[in-house]
mmCIF file of all heavy atoms in Angstrom:
data_model
loop_
_atom_site.group_PDB
_atom_site.id
_atom_site.type_symbol
_atom_site.label_atom_id
_atom_site.label_comp_id
_atom_site.label_asym_id
_atom_site.label_seq_id
_atom_site.Cartn_x
_atom_site.Cartn_y
_atom_site.Cartn_z
ATOM 1 N N ARG A 151 66.434 99.198 100.682
ATOM 2 C CA ARG A 151 67.716 98.501 100.599
ATOM 3 C C ARG A 151 68.465 98.958 99.344
ATOM 4 O O ARG A 151 67.852 99.162 98.289
ATOM 5 C CB ARG A 151 67.380 97.017 100.511
ATOM 6 C CG ARG A 151 68.502 96.061 100.380
ATOM 7 C CD ARG A 151 67.936 94.646 100.246
ATOM 8 N NE ARG A 151 67.090 94.521 99.061
ATOM 9 C CZ ARG A 151 67.550 94.362 97.832
ATOM 10 N NH1 ARG A 151 68.845 94.301 97.615
ATOM 11 N NH2 ARG A 151 66.738 94.254 96.801
ATOM 12 N N VAL A 152 69.751 99.103 99.455
ATOM 13 C CA VAL A 152 70.556 99.509 98.300
ATOM 14 C C VAL A 152 71.738 98.553 98.186
ATOM 15 O O VAL A 152 72.379 98.228 99.177
ATOM 16 C CB VAL A 152 71.077 100.963 98.444
ATOM 17 C CG1 VAL A 152 71.961 101.337 97.270
ATOM 18 C CG2 VAL A 152 69.914 101.937 98.561
ATOM 19 N N ASN A 153 71.967 98.105 96.983
ATOM 20 C CA ASN A 153 73.071 97.188 96.726
ATOM 21 C C ASN A 153 73.745 97.631 95.425
ATOM 22 O O ASN A 153 73.155 97.526 94.362
ATOM 23 C CB ASN A 153 72.500 95.770 96.595
ATOM 24 C CG ASN A 153 73.562 94.716 96.663
ATOM 25 O OD1 ASN A 153 74.754 95.027 96.724
ATOM 26 N ND2 ASN A 153 73.150 93.475 96.633
ATOM 27 N N VAL A 154 74.933 98.162 95.545
ATOM 28 C CA VAL A 154 75.613 98.692 94.364
ATOM 29 C C VAL A 154 76.963 97.997 94.203
ATOM 30 O O VAL A 154 77.700 97.838 95.176
ATOM 31 C CB VAL A 154 75.830 100.225 94.495
ATOM 32 C CG1 VAL A 154 76.524 100.779 93.262
ATOM 33 C CG2 VAL A 154 74.504 100.932 94.706
ATOM 34 N N ARG A 155 77.233 97.607 92.986
ATOM 35 C CA ARG A 155 78.547 97.019 92.670
ATOM 36 C C ARG A 155 79.184 97.876 91.576
ATOM 37 O O ARG A 155 78.671 97.949 90.462
ATOM 38 C CB ARG A 155 78.374 95.585 92.175
ATOM 39 C CG ARG A 155 79.706 94.860 91.996
ATOM 40 C CD ARG A 155 79.501 93.460 91.503
ATOM 41 N NE ARG A 155 79.186 93.450 90.072
ATOM 42 C CZ ARG A 155 79.276 92.373 89.306
ATOM 43 N NH1 ARG A 155 79.634 91.209 89.821
ATOM 44 N NH2 ARG A 155 78.978 92.427 88.029
ATOM 45 N N VAL A 156 80.249 98.533 91.938
ATOM 46 C CA VAL A 156 80.907 99.453 90.991
ATOM 47 C C VAL A 156 82.239 98.851 90.542
ATOM 48 O O VAL A 156 83.093 98.549 91.387
ATOM 49 C CB VAL A 156 81.176 100.824 91.659
ATOM 50 C CG1 VAL A 156 81.747 101.806 90.648
ATOM 51 C CG2 VAL A 156 79.912 101.381 92.280
ATOM 52 N N PRO A 157 82.432 98.659 89.245
ATOM 53 C CA PRO A 157 83.732 98.159 88.793
ATOM 54 C C PRO A 157 84.825 99.178 89.137
ATOM 55 O O PRO A 157 84.637 100.379 88.928
ATOM 56 C CB PRO A 157 83.569 98.050 87.280
ATOM 57 C CG PRO A 157 82.120 98.163 87.008
ATOM 58 C CD PRO A 157 81.510 98.890 88.143
ATOM 59 N N LEU A 158 85.960 98.701 89.638
ATOM 60 C CA LEU A 158 87.042 99.630 89.981
ATOM 61 C C LEU A 158 87.600 100.313 88.731
ATOM 62 O O LEU A 158 88.170 101.387 88.814
ATOM 63 C CB LEU A 158 88.151 98.907 90.745
ATOM 64 C CG LEU A 158 87.789 98.536 92.185
ATOM 65 C CD1 LEU A 158 88.975 97.892 92.883
ATOM 66 C CD2 LEU A 158 87.321 99.724 92.990
ATOM 67 N N ALA A 159 87.389 99.663 87.568
ATOM 68 C CA ALA A 159 87.794 100.306 86.309
ATOM 69 C C ALA A 159 86.997 101.593 86.108
ATOM 70 O O ALA A 159 87.514 102.580 85.569
ATOM 71 C CB ALA A 159 87.566 99.361 85.144
ATOM 72 N N LEU A 160 85.747 101.578 86.559
ATOM 73 C CA LEU A 160 84.906 102.769 86.447
ATOM 74 C C LEU A 160 85.394 103.860 87.403
ATOM 75 O O LEU A 160 85.415 105.041 87.057
ATOM 76 C CB LEU A 160 83.446 102.403 86.750
ATOM 77 C CG LEU A 160 82.412 103.507 86.590
ATOM 78 C CD1 LEU A 160 82.379 104.048 85.177
ATOM 79 C CD2 LEU A 160 81.021 103.015 86.972
ATOM 80 N N VAL A 161 85.807 103.431 88.590
ATOM 81 C CA VAL A 161 86.363 104.388 89.565
ATOM 82 C C VAL A 161 87.632 105.019 88.982
ATOM 83 O O VAL A 161 87.830 106.235 89.036
ATOM 84 C CB VAL A 161 86.684 103.682 90.907
ATOM 85 C CG1 VAL A 161 87.323 104.646 91.889
ATOM 86 C CG2 VAL A 161 85.426 103.082 91.509
ATOM 87 N N ARG A 162 88.454 104.150 88.382
ATOM 88 C CA ARG A 162 89.717 104.613 87.794
ATOM 89 C C ARG A 162 89.434 105.608 86.654
ATOM 90 O O ARG A 162 90.032 106.683 86.596
ATOM 91 C CB ARG A 162 90.501 103.409 87.276
ATOM 92 C CG ARG A 162 91.958 103.693 87.020
ATOM 93 C CD ARG A 162 92.719 102.445 86.629
ATOM 94 N NE ARG A 162 93.087 101.653 87.775
ATOM 95 C CZ ARG A 162 92.725 100.404 87.996
ATOM 96 N NH1 ARG A 162 91.970 99.782 87.110
ATOM 97 N NH2 ARG A 162 93.089 99.759 89.067
ATOM 98 N N ALA A 163 88.473 105.232 85.791
ATOM 99 C CA ALA A 163 88.123 106.107 84.658
ATOM 100 C C ALA A 163 87.516 107.410 85.170
ATOM 101 O O ALA A 163 87.789 108.485 84.632
ATOM 102 C CB ALA A 163 87.146 105.389 83.735
ATOM 103 N N GLY A 164 86.721 107.310 86.216
ATOM 104 C CA GLY A 164 86.098 108.509 86.793
ATOM 105 C C GLY A 164 87.136 109.445 87.386
ATOM 106 O O GLY A 164 87.044 110.667 87.232
ATOM 107 N N MET A 165 88.134 108.848 88.045
ATOM 108 C CA MET A 165 89.180 109.687 88.640
ATOM 109 C C MET A 165 90.010 110.375 87.560
ATOM 110 O O MET A 165 90.521 111.466 87.758
ATOM 111 C CB MET A 165 90.079 108.848 89.554
ATOM 112 C CG MET A 165 89.371 108.467 90.850
ATOM 113 S SD MET A 165 90.396 107.461 91.911
ATOM 114 C CE MET A 165 91.377 108.720 92.711
ATOM 115 N N LYS A 166 90.115 109.710 86.423
ATOM 116 C CA LYS A 166 90.863 110.295 85.304
ATOM 117 C C LYS A 166 90.144 111.523 84.736
ATOM 118 O O LYS A 166 90.746 112.351 84.059
ATOM 119 C CB LYS A 166 91.045 109.254 84.197
ATOM 120 C CG LYS A 166 92.195 108.326 84.459
ATOM 121 C CD LYS A 166 93.486 109.013 84.126
ATOM 122 C CE LYS A 166 94.673 108.098 84.261
ATOM 123 N NZ LYS A 166 95.921 108.832 84.090
ATOM 124 N N LEU A 167 88.829 111.608 84.979
ATOM 125 C CA LEU A 167 88.069 112.754 84.476
ATOM 126 C C LEU A 167 88.530 114.063 85.104
ATOM 127 O O LEU A 167 88.265 115.139 84.578
ATOM 128 C CB LEU A 167 86.565 112.558 84.743
ATOM 129 C CG LEU A 167 85.836 111.534 83.879
ATOM 130 C CD1 LEU A 167 84.389 111.420 84.316
ATOM 131 C CD2 LEU A 167 85.892 111.926 82.414
ATOM 132 N N THR A 168 89.215 113.953 86.238
ATOM 133 C CA THR A 168 89.700 115.168 86.893
ATOM 134 C C THR A 168 90.728 115.896 86.024
ATOM 135 O O THR A 168 90.936 117.086 86.188
ATOM 136 C CB THR A 168 90.354 114.836 88.251
ATOM 137 O OG1 THR A 168 91.389 113.874 88.037
ATOM 138 C CG2 THR A 168 89.346 114.297 89.242
ATOM 139 N N ALA A 169 91.331 115.151 85.081
ATOM 140 C CA ALA A 169 92.316 115.778 84.187
ATOM 141 C C ALA A 169 91.658 116.796 83.260
ATOM 142 O O ALA A 169 92.337 117.624 82.665
ATOM 143 C CB ALA A 169 93.022 114.710 83.363
ATOM 144 N N LEU A 170 90.339 116.715 83.144
ATOM 145 C CA LEU A 170 89.632 117.630 82.258
ATOM 146 C C LEU A 170 89.431 119.005 82.885
ATOM 147 O O LEU A 170 89.012 119.939 82.227
ATOM 148 C CB LEU A 170 88.252 117.059 81.888
ATOM 149 C CG LEU A 170 88.211 115.656 81.294
ATOM 150 C CD1 LEU A 170 86.787 115.274 80.967
ATOM 151 C CD2 LEU A 170 89.064 115.590 80.047
ATOM 152 N N MET A 171 89.693 119.096 84.169
ATOM 153 C CA MET A 171 89.440 120.359 84.869
ATOM 154 C C MET A 171 90.314 121.484 84.325
ATOM 155 O O MET A 171 91.511 121.298 84.142
ATOM 156 C CB MET A 171 89.771 120.207 86.350
ATOM 157 C CG MET A 171 88.750 119.472 87.134
ATOM 158 S SD MET A 171 89.274 119.513 88.855
ATOM 159 C CE MET A 171 88.096 118.395 89.551
ATOM 160 N N PRO A 172 89.735 122.652 84.108
ATOM 161 C CA PRO A 172 90.570 123.807 83.766
ATOM 162 C C PRO A 172 91.460 124.179 84.955
ATOM 163 O O PRO A 172 91.095 123.882 86.101
ATOM 164 C CB PRO A 172 89.547 124.918 83.496
ATOM 165 C CG PRO A 172 88.259 124.226 83.325
ATOM 166 C CD PRO A 172 88.313 122.963 84.090
ATOM 167 N N PRO A 173 92.586 124.822 84.697
ATOM 168 C CA PRO A 173 93.567 125.053 85.770
ATOM 169 C C PRO A 173 93.014 125.741 87.008
ATOM 170 O O PRO A 173 93.295 125.312 88.130
ATOM 171 C CB PRO A 173 94.616 125.931 85.091
ATOM 172 C CG PRO A 173 94.430 125.762 83.656
ATOM 173 C CD PRO A 173 93.026 125.351 83.409
ATOM 174 N N HIS A 174 92.205 126.816 86.812
ATOM 175 C CA HIS A 174 91.765 127.557 88.004
ATOM 176 C C HIS A 174 90.809 126.738 88.870
ATOM 177 O O HIS A 174 90.794 126.873 90.084
ATOM 178 C CB HIS A 174 91.149 128.903 87.612
ATOM 179 C CG HIS A 174 89.924 128.792 86.777
ATOM 180 N ND1 HIS A 174 89.979 128.551 85.428
ATOM 181 C CD2 HIS A 174 88.616 128.855 87.108
ATOM 182 C CE1 HIS A 174 88.734 128.506 84.951
ATOM 183 N NE2 HIS A 174 87.895 128.670 85.948
ATOM 184 N N VAL A 175 90.024 125.878 88.219
ATOM 185 C CA VAL A 175 89.116 125.002 88.990
ATOM 186 C C VAL A 175 89.952 123.983 89.772
ATOM 187 O O VAL A 175 89.708 123.738 90.965
ATOM 188 C CB VAL A 175 88.129 124.271 88.040
ATOM 189 C CG1 VAL A 175 87.239 123.329 88.817
ATOM 190 C CG2 VAL A 175 87.299 125.265 87.265
#
Side-chain angles (χ1 to χ4, degrees):
Chain A
R151 178 183 61 79
V152 177
N153 194 355
V154 181
R155 187 180 77 163
V156 185
L158 287 183
L160 184 60
V161 177
R162 197 175 279 120
M165 287 179 82
K166 278 282 185 187
L167 287 177
T168 56
L170 306 181
M171 283 184 189
H174 63 280
V175 178

